[in-house]
Amino acid sequence: MRPGRALEAGRPLLAAAQEAGQIRDDLTLEQIFDLIVAIAKVNEDPGYLGPLFETVLDGLRRTPA
């Protein structure tokens, strides 16, 4: 899948998650993809990467006001 197609397919999903209050609304899909790419470049074992993934997922969630 080309990046443009992934962005096109992902935008409605992100918008729905943001409207439902599940994902922060100050992030773009491009920023989220950049986070994914950055973590994918870390060459470590799963025990090292697990906390990184958890931190990113925690950071994507909208916090209660």
Side-chain angles (χ1 to χ4, degrees), residues 47-64:
Y48 181 87
L49 291 173
L52 290 177
F53 282 119
E54 289 178 30
T55 300
V56 167
L57 291 175
D58 288 344
L60 290 173
R61 290 186 189 98
R62 182 180 290 172
T63 55

mmCIF file with all atom_site columns, all heavy atoms in Angstrom, residues 47-64:
data_model
loop_
_atom_site.group_PDB
_atom_site.id
_atom_site.type_symbol
_atom_site.label_atom_id
_atom_site.label_alt_id
_atom_site.label_comp_id
_atom_site.label_asym_id
_atom_site.label_entity_id
_atom_site.label_seq_id
_atom_site.pdbx_PDB_ins_code
_atom_site.Cartn_x
_atom_site.Cartn_y
_atom_site.Cartn_z
_atom_site.occupancy
_atom_site.B_iso_or_equiv
_atom_site.pdbx_formal_charge
_atom_site.auth_seq_id
_atom_site.auth_comp_id
_atom_site.auth_asym_id
_atom_site.auth_atom_id
_atom_site.pdbx_PDB_model_num
ATOM 1   N N   . GLY A 1 47 ? 11.201  -6.808 24.951 1.00 0.00 ? 47 GLY A N   1
ATOM 2   C CA  . GLY A 1 47 ? 11.174  -6.302 26.312 1.00 0.00 ? 47 GLY A CA  1
ATOM 3   C C   . GLY A 1 47 ? 11.538  -4.832 26.396 1.00 0.00 ? 47 GLY A C   1
ATOM 4   O O   . GLY A 1 47 ? 11.052  -4.108 27.265 1.00 0.00 ? 47 GLY A O   1
ATOM 5   N N   . TYR A 1 48 ? 12.372  -4.388 25.499 1.00 0.00 ? 48 TYR A N   1
ATOM 6   C CA  . TYR A 1 48 ? 12.758  -2.978 25.428 1.00 0.00 ? 48 TYR A CA  1
ATOM 7   C C   . TYR A 1 48 ? 11.679  -2.162 24.727 1.00 0.00 ? 48 TYR A C   1
ATOM 8   O O   . TYR A 1 48 ? 11.354  -1.050 25.135 1.00 0.00 ? 48 TYR A O   1
ATOM 9   C CB  . TYR A 1 48 ? 14.094  -2.855 24.679 1.00 0.00 ? 48 TYR A CB  1
ATOM 10  C CG  . TYR A 1 48 ? 14.616  -1.448 24.568 1.00 0.00 ? 48 TYR A CG  1
ATOM 11  C CD1 . TYR A 1 48 ? 15.399  -0.907 25.584 1.00 0.00 ? 48 TYR A CD1 1
ATOM 12  C CD2 . TYR A 1 48 ? 14.354  -0.665 23.456 1.00 0.00 ? 48 TYR A CD2 1
ATOM 13  C CE1 . TYR A 1 48 ? 15.889  0.388  25.481 1.00 0.00 ? 48 TYR A CE1 1
ATOM 14  C CE2 . TYR A 1 48 ? 14.836  0.620  23.349 1.00 0.00 ? 48 TYR A CE2 1
ATOM 15  C CZ  . TYR A 1 48 ? 15.606  1.151  24.364 1.00 0.00 ? 48 TYR A CZ  1
ATOM 16  O OH  . TYR A 1 48 ? 16.090  2.427  24.260 1.00 0.00 ? 48 TYR A OH  1
ATOM 17  N N   . LEU A 1 49 ? 11.129  -2.718 23.650 1.00 0.00 ? 49 LEU A N   1
ATOM 18  C CA  . LEU A 1 49 ? 10.152  -1.994 22.844 1.00 0.00 ? 49 LEU A CA  1
ATOM 19  C C   . LEU A 1 49 ? 8.777   -1.912 23.499 1.00 0.00 ? 49 LEU A C   1
ATOM 20  O O   . LEU A 1 49 ? 8.054   -0.945 23.283 1.00 0.00 ? 49 LEU A O   1
ATOM 21  C CB  . LEU A 1 49 ? 10.014  -2.656 21.473 1.00 0.00 ? 49 LEU A CB  1
ATOM 22  C CG  . LEU A 1 49 ? 11.228  -2.528 20.565 1.00 0.00 ? 49 LEU A CG  1
ATOM 23  C CD1 . LEU A 1 49 ? 11.037  -3.367 19.308 1.00 0.00 ? 49 LEU A CD1 1
ATOM 24  C CD2 . LEU A 1 49 ? 11.482  -1.075 20.202 1.00 0.00 ? 49 LEU A CD2 1
ATOM 25  N N   . GLY A 1 50 ? 8.411   -2.900 24.304 1.00 0.00 ? 50 GLY A N   1
ATOM 26  C CA  . GLY A 1 50 ? 7.091   -2.922 24.934 1.00 0.00 ? 50 GLY A CA  1
ATOM 27  C C   . GLY A 1 50 ? 6.746   -1.640 25.670 1.00 0.00 ? 50 GLY A C   1
ATOM 28  O O   . GLY A 1 50 ? 5.691   -1.040 25.411 1.00 0.00 ? 50 GLY A O   1
ATOM 29  N N   . PRO A 1 51 ? 7.607   -1.175 26.571 1.00 0.00 ? 51 PRO A N   1
ATOM 30  C CA  . PRO A 1 51 ? 7.305   0.074  27.263 1.00 0.00 ? 51 PRO A CA  1
ATOM 31  C C   . PRO A 1 51 ? 7.220   1.284  26.326 1.00 0.00 ? 51 PRO A C   1
ATOM 32  O O   . PRO A 1 51 ? 6.445   2.211  26.575 1.00 0.00 ? 51 PRO A O   1
ATOM 33  C CB  . PRO A 1 51 ? 8.466   0.230  28.254 1.00 0.00 ? 51 PRO A CB  1
ATOM 34  C CG  . PRO A 1 51 ? 8.957   -1.152 28.478 1.00 0.00 ? 51 PRO A CG  1
ATOM 35  C CD  . PRO A 1 51 ? 8.773   -1.844 27.165 1.00 0.00 ? 51 PRO A CD  1
ATOM 36  N N   . LEU A 1 52 ? 7.990   1.268  25.249 1.00 0.00 ? 52 LEU A N   1
ATOM 37  C CA  . LEU A 1 52 ? 7.883   2.369  24.277 1.00 0.00 ? 52 LEU A CA  1
ATOM 38  C C   . LEU A 1 52 ? 6.502   2.383  23.632 1.00 0.00 ? 52 LEU A C   1
ATOM 39  O O   . LEU A 1 52 ? 5.866   3.439  23.520 1.00 0.00 ? 52 LEU A O   1
ATOM 40  C CB  . LEU A 1 52 ? 8.954   2.240  23.186 1.00 0.00 ? 52 LEU A CB  1
ATOM 41  C CG  . LEU A 1 52 ? 10.399  2.493  23.595 1.00 0.00 ? 52 LEU A CG  1
ATOM 42  C CD1 . LEU A 1 52 ? 11.329  2.256  22.419 1.00 0.00 ? 52 LEU A CD1 1
ATOM 43  C CD2 . LEU A 1 52 ? 10.573  3.891  24.132 1.00 0.00 ? 52 LEU A CD2 1
ATOM 44  N N   . PHE A 1 53 ? 6.037   1.214  23.204 1.00 0.00 ? 53 PHE A N   1
ATOM 45  C CA  . PHE A 1 53 ? 4.706   1.126  22.605 1.00 0.00 ? 53 PHE A CA  1
ATOM 46  C C   . PHE A 1 53 ? 3.629   1.568  23.595 1.00 0.00 ? 53 PHE A C   1
ATOM 47  O O   . PHE A 1 53 ? 2.712   2.300  23.241 1.00 0.00 ? 53 PHE A O   1
ATOM 48  C CB  . PHE A 1 53 ? 4.401   -0.298 22.131 1.00 0.00 ? 53 PHE A CB  1
ATOM 49  C CG  . PHE A 1 53 ? 5.070   -0.661 20.836 1.00 0.00 ? 53 PHE A CG  1
ATOM 50  C CD1 . PHE A 1 53 ? 5.966   -1.709 20.781 1.00 0.00 ? 53 PHE A CD1 1
ATOM 51  C CD2 . PHE A 1 53 ? 4.802   0.036  19.670 1.00 0.00 ? 53 PHE A CD2 1
ATOM 52  C CE1 . PHE A 1 53 ? 6.584   -2.050 19.593 1.00 0.00 ? 53 PHE A CE1 1
ATOM 53  C CE2 . PHE A 1 53 ? 5.405   -0.296 18.475 1.00 0.00 ? 53 PHE A CE2 1
ATOM 54  C CZ  . PHE A 1 53 ? 6.303   -1.350 18.440 1.00 0.00 ? 53 PHE A CZ  1
ATOM 55  N N   . GLU A 1 54 ? 3.739   1.110  24.816 1.00 0.00 ? 54 GLU A N   1
ATOM 56  C CA  . GLU A 1 54 ? 2.747   1.480  25.834 1.00 0.00 ? 54 GLU A CA  1
ATOM 57  C C   . GLU A 1 54 ? 2.725   2.991  26.064 1.00 0.00 ? 54 GLU A C   1
ATOM 58  O O   . GLU A 1 54 ? 1.659   3.591  26.198 1.00 0.00 ? 54 GLU A O   1
ATOM 59  C CB  . GLU A 1 54 ? 3.027   0.749  27.139 1.00 0.00 ? 54 GLU A CB  1
ATOM 60  C CG  . GLU A 1 54 ? 2.714   -0.731 27.068 1.00 0.00 ? 54 GLU A CG  1
ATOM 61  C CD  . GLU A 1 54 ? 3.040   -1.460 28.361 1.00 0.00 ? 54 GLU A CD  1
ATOM 62  O OE1 . GLU A 1 54 ? 2.964   -0.829 29.434 1.00 0.00 ? 54 GLU A OE1 1
ATOM 63  O OE2 . GLU A 1 54 ? 3.366   -2.651 28.271 1.00 0.00 ? 54 GLU A OE2 1
ATOM 64  N N   . THR A 1 55 ? 3.893   3.604  26.096 1.00 0.00 ? 55 THR A N   1
ATOM 65  C CA  . THR A 1 55 ? 3.978   5.051  26.298 1.00 0.00 ? 55 THR A CA  1
ATOM 66  C C   . THR A 1 55 ? 3.355   5.807  25.135 1.00 0.00 ? 55 THR A C   1
ATOM 67  O O   . THR A 1 55 ? 2.616   6.779  25.335 1.00 0.00 ? 55 THR A O   1
ATOM 68  C CB  . THR A 1 55 ? 5.453   5.473  26.475 1.00 0.00 ? 55 THR A CB  1
ATOM 69  O OG1 . THR A 1 55 ? 5.981   4.785  27.612 1.00 0.00 ? 55 THR A OG1 1
ATOM 70  C CG2 . THR A 1 55 ? 5.590   6.964  26.675 1.00 0.00 ? 55 THR A CG2 1
ATOM 71  N N   . VAL A 1 56 ? 3.613   5.362  23.917 1.00 0.00 ? 56 VAL A N   1
ATOM 72  C CA  . VAL A 1 56 ? 3.017   6.010  22.749 1.00 0.00 ? 56 VAL A CA  1
ATOM 73  C C   . VAL A 1 56 ? 1.505   5.863  22.779 1.00 0.00 ? 56 VAL A C   1
ATOM 74  O O   . VAL A 1 56 ? 0.767   6.826  22.558 1.00 0.00 ? 56 VAL A O   1
ATOM 75  C CB  . VAL A 1 56 ? 3.610   5.445  21.440 1.00 0.00 ? 56 VAL A CB  1
ATOM 76  C CG1 . VAL A 1 56 ? 2.798   5.874  20.230 1.00 0.00 ? 56 VAL A CG1 1
ATOM 77  C CG2 . VAL A 1 56 ? 5.048   5.875  21.286 1.00 0.00 ? 56 VAL A CG2 1
ATOM 78  N N   . LEU A 1 57 ? 1.019   4.664  23.073 1.00 0.00 ? 57 LEU A N   1
ATOM 79  C CA  . LEU A 1 57 ? -0.433  4.464  23.127 1.00 0.00 ? 57 LEU A CA  1
ATOM 80  C C   . LEU A 1 57 ? -1.066  5.310  24.223 1.00 0.00 ? 57 LEU A C   1
ATOM 81  O O   . LEU A 1 57 ? -2.131  5.908  24.018 1.00 0.00 ? 57 LEU A O   1
ATOM 82  C CB  . LEU A 1 57 ? -0.762  2.984  23.321 1.00 0.00 ? 57 LEU A CB  1
ATOM 83  C CG  . LEU A 1 57 ? -0.434  2.087  22.126 1.00 0.00 ? 57 LEU A CG  1
ATOM 84  C CD1 . LEU A 1 57 ? -0.683  0.625  22.485 1.00 0.00 ? 57 LEU A CD1 1
ATOM 85  C CD2 . LEU A 1 57 ? -1.208  2.485  20.900 1.00 0.00 ? 57 LEU A CD2 1
ATOM 86  N N   . ASP A 1 58 ? -0.424  5.394  25.378 1.00 0.00 ? 58 ASP A N   1
ATOM 87  C CA  . ASP A 1 58 ? -0.929  6.250  26.453 1.00 0.00 ? 58 ASP A CA  1
ATOM 88  C C   . ASP A 1 58 ? -0.973  7.706  26.007 1.00 0.00 ? 58 ASP A C   1
ATOM 89  O O   . ASP A 1 58 ? -1.907  8.447  26.325 1.00 0.00 ? 58 ASP A O   1
ATOM 90  C CB  . ASP A 1 58 ? -0.079  6.124  27.713 1.00 0.00 ? 58 ASP A CB  1
ATOM 91  C CG  . ASP A 1 58 ? -0.262  4.810  28.441 1.00 0.00 ? 58 ASP A CG  1
ATOM 92  O OD1 . ASP A 1 58 ? -1.269  4.107  28.162 1.00 0.00 ? 58 ASP A OD1 1
ATOM 93  O OD2 . ASP A 1 58 ? 0.590   4.486  29.276 1.00 0.00 ? 58 ASP A OD2 1
ATOM 94  N N   . GLY A 1 59 ? 0.045   8.117  25.270 1.00 0.00 ? 59 GLY A N   1
ATOM 95  C CA  . GLY A 1 59 ? 0.120   9.501  24.814 1.00 0.00 ? 59 GLY A CA  1
ATOM 96  C C   . GLY A 1 59 ? -0.895  9.850  23.740 1.00 0.00 ? 59 GLY A C   1
ATOM 97  O O   . GLY A 1 59 ? -1.257  11.010 23.577 1.00 0.00 ? 59 GLY A O   1
ATOM 98  N N   . LEU A 1 60 ? -1.363  8.855  23.005 1.00 0.00 ? 60 LEU A N   1
ATOM 99  C CA  . LEU A 1 60 ? -2.359  9.104  21.970 1.00 0.00 ? 60 LEU A CA  1
ATOM 100 C C   . LEU A 1 60 ? -3.764  9.272  22.536 1.00 0.00 ? 60 LEU A C   1
ATOM 101 O O   . LEU A 1 60 ? -4.604  9.946  21.956 1.00 0.00 ? 60 LEU A O   1
ATOM 102 C CB  . LEU A 1 60 ? -2.384  7.953  20.958 1.00 0.00 ? 60 LEU A CB  1
ATOM 103 C CG  . LEU A 1 60 ? -1.167  7.834  20.042 1.00 0.00 ? 60 LEU A CG  1
ATOM 104 C CD1 . LEU A 1 60 ? -1.279  6.554  19.221 1.00 0.00 ? 60 LEU A CD1 1
ATOM 105 C CD2 . LEU A 1 60 ? -1.047  9.034  19.136 1.00 0.00 ? 60 LEU A CD2 1
ATOM 106 N N   . ARG A 1 61 ? -3.985  8.669  23.698 1.00 0.00 ? 61 ARG A N   1
ATOM 107 C CA  . ARG A 1 61 ? -5.332  8.722  24.295 1.00 0.00 ? 61 ARG A CA  1
ATOM 108 C C   . ARG A 1 61 ? -5.626  10.118 24.805 1.00 0.00 ? 61 ARG A C   1
ATOM 109 O O   . ARG A 1 61 ? -4.765  10.792 25.360 1.00 0.00 ? 61 ARG A O   1
ATOM 110 C CB  . ARG A 1 61 ? -5.435  7.720  25.434 1.00 0.00 ? 61 ARG A CB  1
ATOM 111 C CG  . ARG A 1 61 ? -5.432  6.305  24.965 1.00 0.00 ? 61 ARG A CG  1
ATOM 112 C CD  . ARG A 1 61 ? -5.684  5.343  26.125 1.00 0.00 ? 61 ARG A CD  1
ATOM 113 N NE  . ARG A 1 61 ? -5.474  3.987  25.682 1.00 0.00 ? 61 ARG A NE  1
ATOM 114 C CZ  . ARG A 1 61 ? -4.351  3.299  25.884 1.00 0.00 ? 61 ARG A CZ  1
ATOM 115 N NH1 . ARG A 1 61 ? -3.359  3.838  26.550 1.00 0.00 ? 61 ARG A NH1 1
ATOM 116 N NH2 . ARG A 1 61 ? -4.242  2.066  25.446 1.00 0.00 ? 61 ARG A NH2 1
ATOM 117 N N   . ARG A 1 62 ? -6.862  10.506 24.652 1.00 0.00 ? 62 ARG A N   1
ATOM 118 C CA  . ARG A 1 62 ? -7.306  11.785 25.196 1.00 0.00 ? 62 ARG A CA  1
ATOM 119 C C   . ARG A 1 62 ? -7.446  11.619 26.708 1.00 0.00 ? 62 ARG A C   1
ATOM 120 O O   . ARG A 1 62 ? -8.010  10.650 27.183 1.00 0.00 ? 62 ARG A O   1
ATOM 121 C CB  . ARG A 1 62 ? -8.638  12.202 24.595 1.00 0.00 ? 62 ARG A CB  1
ATOM 122 C CG  . ARG A 1 62 ? -9.086  13.567 25.118 1.00 0.00 ? 62 ARG A CG  1
ATOM 123 C CD  . ARG A 1 62 ? -10.383 13.967 24.527 1.00 0.00 ? 62 ARG A CD  1
ATOM 124 N NE  . ARG A 1 62 ? -10.191 14.266 23.111 1.00 0.00 ? 62 ARG A NE  1
ATOM 125 C CZ  . ARG A 1 62 ? -11.200 14.490 22.305 1.00 0.00 ? 62 ARG A CZ  1
ATOM 126 N NH1 . ARG A 1 62 ? -12.435 14.422 22.722 1.00 0.00 ? 62 ARG A NH1 1
ATOM 127 N NH2 . ARG A 1 62 ? -10.978 14.766 21.031 1.00 0.00 ? 62 ARG A NH2 1
ATOM 128 N N   . THR A 1 63 ? -6.935  12.582 27.454 1.00 0.00 ? 63 THR A N   1
ATOM 129 C CA  . THR A 1 63 ? -7.066  12.531 28.907 1.00 0.00 ? 63 THR A CA  1
ATOM 130 C C   . THR A 1 63 ? -8.319  13.283 29.323 1.00 0.00 ? 63 THR A C   1
ATOM 131 O O   . THR A 1 63 ? -8.681  14.290 28.705 1.00 0.00 ? 63 THR A O   1
ATOM 132 C CB  . THR A 1 63 ? -5.830  13.143 29.598 1.00 0.00 ? 63 THR A CB  1
ATOM 133 O OG1 . THR A 1 63 ? -5.643  14.459 29.108 1.00 0.00 ? 63 THR A OG1 1
ATOM 134 C CG2 . THR A 1 63 ? -4.578  12.329 29.305 1.00 0.00 ? 63 THR A CG2 1
ATOM 135 N N   . PRO A 1 64 ? -8.982  12.823 30.363 1.00 0.00 ? 64 PRO A N   1
ATOM 136 C CA  . PRO A 1 64 ? -10.191 13.518 30.831 1.00 0.00 ? 64 PRO A CA  1
ATOM 137 C C   . PRO A 1 64 ? -9.873  14.951 31.255 1.00 0.00 ? 64 PRO A C   1
ATOM 138 O O   . PRO A 1 64 ? -8.817  15.219 31.806 1.00 0.00 ? 64 PRO A O   1
ATOM 139 C CB  . PRO A 1 64 ? -10.649 12.704 32.029 1.00 0.00 ? 64 PRO A CB  1
ATOM 140 C CG  . PRO A 1 64 ? -9.918  11.409 31.943 1.00 0.00 ? 64 PRO A CG  1
ATOM 141 C CD  . PRO A 1 64 ? -8.685  11.649 31.158 1.00 0.00 ? 64 PRO A CD  1
#
